[in-house]
Amino acid sequence: MSDESGNLSKRQRQRAATRGRRVATAERRRTVFELVVSGHSYEAIARETGLSPSALRRDVGKAIAARAIEAPERYVHLQVARIEKALLAADAAIERGDVRAVSQYLKVVAALDRYHGLATALTPPEPASAPAQPRLSAAAPPLALTHAAPPSEPDAADATAIVERAQNGA
């Protein structure tokens, strides 16, 4: 058999090379995206791949933009699978005697309950017959003046002056 690349025209070889670069770029973006999702930092990935962190961020951004939005049902299944993986890890830590893993275990169980719809099913429903009344606190009694001077008693001269002014129209 003869070499097929020798039988291709120059244009066909260019198209094949371009297609190869696109496939390699898409594979690199997918790999970088999966590493970021797994929790690796851009700097650690950059050291391993030889790319700059800004190029990796750009690749991750393009990978996110290229992703089709999954149906909510499929996304829930994906999240539940991730949560179950975390549940297994927390369970294994508890089995090893790590007491700190109990709080993480409970958080994971709560998240799993939320995705299975148990969180809303376990909350007691509000009574339907009682109308929703706003709950207002009792009004506070008026504040007493503690630093005010007691009212002064007007002396006779002041009272006479007030009466004269009132009579004169002033």
Side-chain angles (χ1 to χ4, degrees):
M1 285 195 102
S2 65
D3 184 31
E4 288 186 29
S5 63
N7 295 337
L8 297 177
S9 70
K10 181 179 178 184
R11 177 70 180 139
Q12 289 173 325
R13 283 192 303 271
Q14 288 174 338
R15 292 179 74 191
T18 302
R19 190 175 316 115
R21 284 191 304 272
R22 280 193 201 127
V23 168
T25 300
E27 180 64 24
R28 183 187 76 225
R29 284 182 184 157
R30 186 187 62 76
T31 303
V32 168
F33 180 76
E34 288 177 2
L35 288 170
V36 170
V37 168
S38 295
H40 297 282
S41 69
Y42 286 106
E43 289 74 20
I45 299 169
R47 282 192 301 271
E48 289 294 319
T49 60
L51 297 171
S52 70
S54 62
L56 293 174
R57 285 186 182 87
R58 187 174 49 248
D59 279 352
V60 169
K62 288 181 180 179
I64 290 171
R67 288 177 57 110
I69 296 177
E70 295 182 13
E73 301 83 27
R74 289 187 62 192
Y75 181 72
V76 167
H77 289 292
L78 175 67
Q79 288 299 90
V80 167
R82 288 175 178 159
I83 291 171
E84 287 174 348
K85 187 176 178 181
L87 186 64
L88 290 173
D91 188 45
I94 291 172
E95 289 293 323
R96 288 190 307 270
D98 186 2
V99 179
R100 294 175 295 167
V102 173
S103 66
Q104 297 302 318
Y105 183 84
L106 293 175
K107 288 178 185 177
V108 171
V109 168
L112 195 57
D113 288 348
R114 188 173 56 246
Y115 273 104
H116 283 295
L118 297 175
T120 56
L122 296 177
T123 56
E126 298 254 344
S129 61
Q133 295 283 335
R135 294 184 180 140
L136 300 175
S137 61
L143 297 176
L145 297 175
T146 57
H147 300 294
S152 63
E153 294 291 325
D155 59 339
D158 289 338
T160 306
I162 293 173
V163 171
E164 287 178 6
R165 273 187 274 163
Q167 290 174 352
N168 292 334

